Amino acid sequence: MTDNAPADLLLLGAGHAHVHVLEKLARLPRAQRARWQVTLVSPHPVALYSNMLPGFVAGHYDADDCTMGLHRLIENSGVRHLPARAMHIDAAARSVQVYGTHSGQAEVAYRLLSIDTGGVMDRARLEASIPGITAHGHFLRPIESFVAEWQRIQDQIGTEPRQLAVVGGGAGGVELALALRHRLPDCEVQLVTGGGSPMASHPAGVQRRAAAALARHGVTVHPLACTGLTADSLRLSDDSTHPCDVALVAVGAQAPRWLARSGLTLDGRGFLAVNGYQQSLGHPEVFAAGDVSSRVDGSHPRSGAYAAHAGTPLAINLLAALDGKPMTLYTPPPHVLNLFACGEQRAIASWGRWYWEGEWLWRWKDRLDRAFVARFGH
């Protein structure tokens, strides 16, 4: 596949921030949009809403409920969709090498580039610290692959009581462990936190609520690191071994390896370093938002909530940059609303130092999540 037509704006990835960009473009007059060539590089014209994944595993949603079909947004925005994924960025040449399963490789040139591909689970890096995880672990990222694999995982579990494990003690791991207990009540579920308390990066009150929910549902918590996986067991950092028939991997996101060779400025963990305009340091023609990036002027958790908040400011600045107009500094909110599913139709909410729990919060979360999916295409 060859593609020599440069894009005025190349959108790499269809993450939460980029769907806001597509929506902003779709609302512009057609004559204004026609002045630019905008290309979206994403493997599929759909995006799965990660906030609904625990509800999917728990059985409250099917895959269609969690899927944003971006066809309408793509058509209404006048964006050209290239079904492919990034392989390499050459910042000096202003080009991206992409690969499509059915169309091969292409070099796509750009005037402006915006990256919202999300973080990844680097299997090679994880295998080095947890031997056997590649062969015996089921990875939550990419989410589209996990959702497609979920039926096969259930077939592997079968109807007999099994020993299940979730590797990763962040919010995603806690939600997943509780979802598994709800969906498969005859199975034993273990949560391997990596060391420390579940949801250790969250306020103490939220940690207490999460610990109580895990205890209430009978999830065994190991505040240790996983150091190995086999087909029927897991090994922990205290050298103990525990039966494990199925292990789900919900560790935090790592930076994509293709960023390391891009020539772009990265932070200490390999994520794209951006300023207050969400621009790459040293390459003002490159923007980024979501898990793939890191603000150098202040930190906030990597979460879908912050990525969604960044979407509208990113869209405004991309349109300004296309027209050579002044951009606007984006200050992330000091707090965002977080809603964590507890397996059954119950949720924990946090906003700053405040936290709540109840069935009414699940109903609120359900309405918000369904509205988000419906807004961007269903």
Side-chain angles (χ1 to χ4, degrees):
M1 178 174 74
T2 59
D3 192 329
N4 297 317
D8 292 301
L9 172 60
L10 177 59
L11 300 173
L12 194 58
H16 295 345
H18 274 177
V19 295
H20 284 83
V21 176
L22 293 175
E23 183 184 55
K24 188 74 172 178
L25 287 167
R27 290 177 174 175
L28 294 177
R30 182 173 299 181
Q32 185 176 355
R33 295 198 312 263
R35 295 189 287 114
W36 313 307
Q37 178 179 309
V38 182
T39 299
L40 170 68
V41 172
S42 176
H44 309 288
V46 299
L48 283 161
Y49 190 34
S50 58
N51 282 15
M52 298 179 77
L53 185 65
F56 167 76
V57 172
H60 304 312
Y61 306 120
D62 59 30
D64 286 343
D65 293 327
C66 313
T67 302
M68 293 179 285
L70 301 178
H71 306 81
R72 176 175 55 82
L73 269 182
I74 290 171
E75 180 180 356
N76 291 346
S77 63
V79 167
R80 175 191 175 215
H81 177 229
L82 191 59
R85 64 181 70 249
M87 294 178 64
H88 175 63
I89 295 176
D90 186 338
R94 296 195 183 189
S95 69
V96 179
Q97 184 181 35
V98 301
Y99 176 77
T101 304
H102 302 294
S103 49
Q105 294 187 16
E107 292 284 343
V108 186
Y110 60 83
R111 180 161 68 91
L112 298 178
L113 170 65
S114 183
I115 306 172
D116 184 24
T117 56
V120 301
M121 288 183 176
D122 189 324
R123 279 136 170 90
R125 193 178 305 170
L126 289 169
E127 182 69 27
S129 59
I130 310 176
I133 197 169
T134 302
H136 305 295
H138 300 277
F139 292 79
L140 260 67
R141 291 174 183 259
I143 293 175
E144 291 80 5
S145 298
F146 176 79
V147 169
E149 190 183 9
W150 175 239
Q151 185 58 55
R152 293 192 294 274
I153 295 172
Q154 291 183 88
D155 293 341
Q156 180 182 347
I157 295 169
T159 58
E160 298 296 323
R162 299 280 187 175
Q163 295 285 342
L164 312 181
V166 176
V167 179
V174 170
E175 288 185 295
L176 184 61
L178 292 169
L180 287 171
R181 281 292 294 165
H182 180 78
R183 182 71 171 265
L184 304 164
D186 294 331
C187 293
E188 296 296 324
V189 178
Q190 308 167 76
L191 177 67
V192 183
T193 69
S197 303
M199 297 179 66
S201 64
H202 293 266
V206 175
Q207 293 182 49
R208 289 194 296 270
R209 294 275 184 171
L214 291 164
R216 185 170 66 247
H217 289 280
V219 175
T220 300
V221 177
H222 300 294
L224 299 163
C226 182
T227 57
L229 274 178
T230 69
D232 58 9
S233 69
L234 59 84
R235 185 173 66 255
L236 301 179
S237 52
D238 64 352
D239 289 330
S240 63
T241 59
H242 302 264
C244 176
D245 300 304
V246 175
L248 305 186
V249 184
V251 296
Q254 293 100 41
R257 289 202 170 197
W258 43 260
L259 275 178
R261 308 182 311 275
S262 65
L264 297 167
T265 301
L266 310 179
D267 72 0
R269 297 177 57 198
F271 294 98
L272 186 63
V274 298
N275 62 19
Y277 299 101
Q278 302 187 88
Q279 284 176 298
S280 169
L281 305 184
H283 292 84
E285 73 281 359
V286 178
F287 296 74
D291 283 353
V292 76
S293 65
S294 177
R295 285 281 293 256
V296 298
D297 57 347
S299 62
H300 56 73
R302 299 182 188 281
S303 71
Y306 274 102
H309 273 276
T312 297
L314 176 66
I316 291 170
N317 280 341
L318 286 174
L319 294 179
L322 281 169
D323 277 339
K325 295 179 179 178
M327 295 185 297
T328 304
L329 280 171
Y330 165 56
T331 302
H335 308 298
V336 296
L337 176 67
N338 290 292
L339 289 161
F340 309 108
C342 293
E344 79 271 45
Q345 293 187 353
R346 188 178 182 86
I348 299 169
S350 73
W351 189 83
R353 63 187 181 90
W354 302 99
Y355 57 90
W356 308 267
E357 182 180 356
E359 294 178 358
W360 66 277
L361 286 167
W362 163 264
R363 294 191 292 271
W364 189 19
K365 172 177 166 57
D366 177 61
R367 285 197 297 271
L368 291 173
D369 289 346
R370 289 183 184 274
F372 188 89
V373 171
R375 172 182 171 183
F376 293 110
H378 197 256

